[in-house]
Amino acid sequence: DVLGSRGLGDVYKADNIASDDLLREVGVDSIEMITIIATIEQEFSIEILDEDMVDDNFMCIDNMVAFVEKRIK
């Protein structure tokens, strides 16, 4: 379980962000997104390519979890 096992769950629980909230709408800016993406790469030992950088993959926690799960399988 990506959400619980590696800390993504802690990100949204700490800030009272629902896993399906649009991150832009809850105030996540571009600098914070870069930090989130770098953390995902480090924590899951994956490389996020330029073509992966689309809203569908990173618009909310649920989408990030789905993206990471696909990449680590």
Side-chain angles (χ1 to χ4, degrees):
D1 175 288
V2 169
L3 188 60
S5 67
R6 298 269 180 91
L8 283 178
D10 295 336
V11 170
Y12 79 90
K13 287 178 185 171
D15 291 330
N16 294 317
I17 298 171
S19 64
D20 62 349
D21 282 347
L22 298 178
L23 297 178
R24 286 185 190 148
E25 291 182 8
V26 296
V28 175
D29 63 25
S30 58
I31 300 296
E32 291 168 319
M33 278 306 299
I34 291 169
T35 302
I36 290 168
I37 290 166
T39 301
I40 289 171
E41 288 181 316
Q42 182 178 10
E43 287 295 316
F44 297 99
S45 300
I46 62 173
E47 181 180 358
I48 298 174
L49 306 172
D50 288 342
E51 57 262 21
D52 296 326
M53 302 292 289
V54 295
D55 279 344
D56 282 348
N57 291 334
F58 298 100
M59 67 177 24
C60 65
I61 299 291
D62 286 342
N63 289 31
M64 284 191 264
V65 169
F67 169 76
V68 171
E69 288 176 337
K70 281 190 272 184
R71 290 296 300 275
I72 61 175
K73 287 185 178 183

